[in-house]
């Protein structure tokens, strides 16, 4: 049930992001501002994700700390 919920939320989020990108392209001159914002958020997200995956300290706590 939990997997189904995450799958549906992921699908809705993907469709929503695609619709936003199509709308920004349709509003061409002013939509470039939104596209730049999307690119900035995407770059920051990738940076944070890569830092998290490369962190040895976080990996250590994931393995040793009991929840």
């Amino acid at each position: 049930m939990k997997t189904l919920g995450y799958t549906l939320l992921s699908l809705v989020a993907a469709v929503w992001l695609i619709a936003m990108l199509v709308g920004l392209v349709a509003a061409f001159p002013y939509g470039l501002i939104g596209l730049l914002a999307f690119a900035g958020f995407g770059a920051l997200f990738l940076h944070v994700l890569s830092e998290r995956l490369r962190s040895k300290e976080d990996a250590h706590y994931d393995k040793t700390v009991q929840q």
Side-chain angles (χ1 to χ4, degrees):
M1 200 61 144
K2 185 177 177 181
T3 305
L4 177 64
Y6 282 134
T7 303
L8 289 174
L9 283 175
S10 299
L11 181 65
V12 169
V15 170
W16 181 65
L17 285 173
I18 290 169
M20 284 182 62
L21 287 173
V22 168
L24 288 171
V25 170
F28 175 64
Y30 301 109
L32 288 177
I33 297 169
L35 289 174
L36 288 173
F38 258 122
F41 283 124
L44 288 174
F45 177 75
L46 288 176
H47 174 72
V48 168
L49 187 63
S50 67
E51 287 290 321
R52 170 62 177 92
L53 291 175
R54 283 188 275 149
S55 174
K56 292 180 182 179
E57 184 178 352
D58 287 341
H60 170 73
Y61 284 118
D62 284 343
K63 291 177 184 176
T64 58
V65 175
Q66 294 180 358
Q67 296 179 359

